[in-house]
Amino acid sequence: MTKERVYNFSAGPSMLPEPVLKKAAEQMLNYENSGMSVMEMSHRSSSYLDIFNNTKALLKKVMNVPDNYEIVFLHGGATQQFSMIPLNFLKTGKADYAVTGNFSNLAYKEATKFGDIHVAYDGKEDNYAHIPTQDELNLSEDADYLHICANNTIFGTEYKYDPVTKNGCPVIADMSSNILSQKVDVSKYGMIYAGAQKNMGIAGLGIAIVRKDLLNDVPANAPVLMDYSLMIKKDSMYNTPSAYAIYMCGLVLEWVDQNGGVEAMYERSIKKSQMLYDYLDSSDFYKAAADKANRSRMNVTFTTPSKELDAKFVKESIEAGMTNLKGHRLVGGIRASIYNAMPVEGVEKLLDFMKKFEEENK
């Protein structure tokens, strides 16, 4: 017997829009009468170049990317770029990092291999439940850039503003888990980057949107696949790109564009996250993990009264047709990742389950 599709609350790889999966399935064996799958195409073929150029054009359109920025598709997701960023953008050897969770901490640690890296904020003491205000950022006068992680999947927090630096140096933002979920003024960032597997496609693809003037003076000893300027010069094809992942990203972008763009995605995200937070705030059984002012629209983190009940909640949620609600191993608890592809019906099902579970376990 075929099992029905579950509501997948995974933080990544995450669920994909059903129309995207259906279209990919329809085109799997024979993409638009090419006689082959996208998986089999040469990345230099005219059929694939149409896919590639369309995907890039859609990203530019959906995110309203200014003309003085370049879009590049990379291997290694966001994590490879933890190394690429200091390699490419450290000029004086100094940079600021705001550490608001696990991935910004990993990016910071990687950057310390390449220069004098200053911690502009560290949220470790309050278990990363808080995002710093602009005034709480201890910024350097001579940093080459400020690095932030715009949304923290593990701790369920999100920046609600665009940070400003002291000396006008660029802000570089890891937007892996909230990209395409709201309108972003790209011009306020020197670079935006992301791994695709959370909110814009499948694993194996990294994306960067880079302001052109920042690509001067990349060190000559930068490895070829970690040189943004070279990868852009070769139009993301110095070697074989993550061809199928780029195709899937294009389908997701098409879906976003056809369903009202990032503005509509934002309204959906507010509705879905508020449904969960309103219930959490009204309950004396569940407790939301993140500070109220900093709560993520993408990753809702919470706990029950005990670790044993957390585990029971996760086990019974699977039996109820939901999956991947277990919190990250670093923090435990429960995490509902509700990216763009999660329908309102999935959140309603989760809420019904939460209410029933509370009644049965008080």
Side-chain angles (χ1 to χ4, degrees):
M1 190 174 91
T2 303
K3 185 175 181 178
E4 290 184 2
R5 278 180 59 78
V6 299
Y7 286 111
N8 180 9
F9 290 90
S10 172
S14 66
M15 71 181 299
L16 290 159
E18 199 165 296
V20 166
L21 291 171
K22 287 180 176 177
K23 187 166 185 177
E26 289 166 5
Q27 297 179 335
M28 177 57 72
L29 293 178
N30 186 358
Y31 175 78
E32 295 192 356
N33 296 317
S34 65
M36 67 181 82
S37 168
V38 174
M39 288 185 180
E40 302 168 292
M41 287 180 181
S42 164
H43 60 292
R44 306 290 183 185
S45 68
S46 59
S47 292
Y48 186 75
L49 288 174
D50 284 345
I51 292 169
F52 178 88
N53 291 326
N54 220 22
T55 300
K56 192 157 74 164
L58 267 171
L59 181 57
K60 183 178 173 70
K61 175 189 176 185
V62 167
M63 288 194 65
N64 194 27
V65 178
D67 291 337
N68 62 323
Y69 285 72
E70 296 279 8
I71 294 170
V72 62
F73 299 103
L74 302 157
H75 300 281
T79 301
Q80 178 174 296
Q81 297 184 70
F82 295 169
S83 309
M84 291 180 72
I85 289 162
L87 263 173
N88 284 260
F89 301 123
L90 279 177
K91 310 298 183 186
T92 68
K94 298 179 180 180
D96 286 340
Y97 276 66
V99 180
T100 53
N102 182 59
F103 293 107
S104 54
N105 188 44
L106 293 175
Y108 159 71
K109 287 181 176 178
E110 189 65 14
T112 60
K113 298 176 182 178
F114 301 95
D116 179 12
I117 309 302
H118 169 244
V119 177
Y121 176 83
D122 189 349
K124 187 176 181 180
E125 283 189 9
D126 64 1
N127 200 33
Y128 302 114
H130 176 68
I131 291 291
T133 64
Q134 178 69 52
D135 291 341
E136 289 172 328
L137 289 170
N138 180 19
L139 299 171
S140 305
E141 299 283 355
D142 54 354
D144 290 321
Y145 62 84
L146 165 65
H147 179 280
I148 69 166
C149 183
N151 184 84
N152 299 285
T153 58
I154 293 175
F155 298 93
T157 59
E158 182 179 22
Y159 278 82
K160 308 295 185 182
Y161 70 101
D162 303 303
V164 177
T165 56
K166 276 189 176 180
N167 61 356
C169 72
V171 179
I172 295 177
D174 177 354
M175 293 190 180
S176 294
S177 52
N178 65 353
I179 197 165
L180 302 183
S181 72
Q182 64 182 339
K183 188 175 180 180
V184 174
D185 185 347
V186 176
S187 69
K188 292 184 177 179
Y189 295 87
M191 187 177 96
I192 291 168
Y193 71 105
Q197 73 276 12
K198 295 178 183 292
N199 214 25
M200 62 192 313
I202 63 175
L205 177 64
I207 292 169
I209 302 168
V210 194
R211 208 174 72 207
K212 293 178 184 180
D213 64 290
L214 299 178
L215 296 170
N216 301 322
D217 305 320
V218 175
N221 64 348
V224 290
L225 294 183
M226 301 184 77
D227 181 338
Y228 285 111
S229 60
L230 179 61
M231 293 300 289
I232 288 167
K233 182 180 178 182
K234 297 294 184 179
D235 202 10
S236 305
M237 294 192 189
Y238 181 89
N239 68 335
T240 307
S242 300
Y244 196 77
I246 293 170
Y247 158 75
M248 289 298 294
C249 180
L251 294 186
V252 171
L253 287 163
E254 182 179 80
W255 176 82
V256 170
D257 189 41
Q258 291 174 351
N259 286 275
V262 293
E263 293 85 358
M265 297 299 116
Y266 176 74
E267 294 303 323
R268 282 163 53 103
S269 73
I270 291 294
K271 179 178 180 179
K272 291 183 295 183
S273 59
Q274 204 58 55
M275 287 166 64
L276 286 171
Y277 288 127
D278 283 349
Y279 179 63
L280 289 171
D281 288 341
S282 69
S283 170
D284 56 9
F285 181 82
Y286 299 104
K287 182 181 178 183
D291 285 356
K292 199 166 186 176
N294 308 127
R295 290 172 174 174
S296 168
R297 295 167 298 115
M298 300 286 103
N299 312 96
V300 180
T301 53
F302 58 97
T303 56
T304 68
S306 70
K307 290 181 179 180
E308 291 75 21
L309 281 174
D310 288 348
K312 185 181 181 186
F313 181 101
V314 171
K315 181 177 182 294
E316 293 185 5
S317 70
I318 295 169
E319 296 165 0
M322 294 169 284
T323 189
N324 288 309
L325 281 160
K326 184 178 180 180
H328 192 274
R329 61 186 178 278
L330 288 178
V331 296
I334 299 157
R335 171 177 58 181
S337 295
I338 50 174
Y339 300 123
N340 288 346
M342 175 60 68
V344 172
E345 291 77 14
V347 177
E348 289 172 341
K349 184 179 179 75
L350 175 57
L351 276 170
D352 288 343
F353 174 80
M354 289 171 68
K355 292 170 184 176
K356 182 173 180 286
F357 187 85
E358 178 175 353
E359 289 169 3
E360 293 175 351
N361 292 278
K362 270 188 173 179

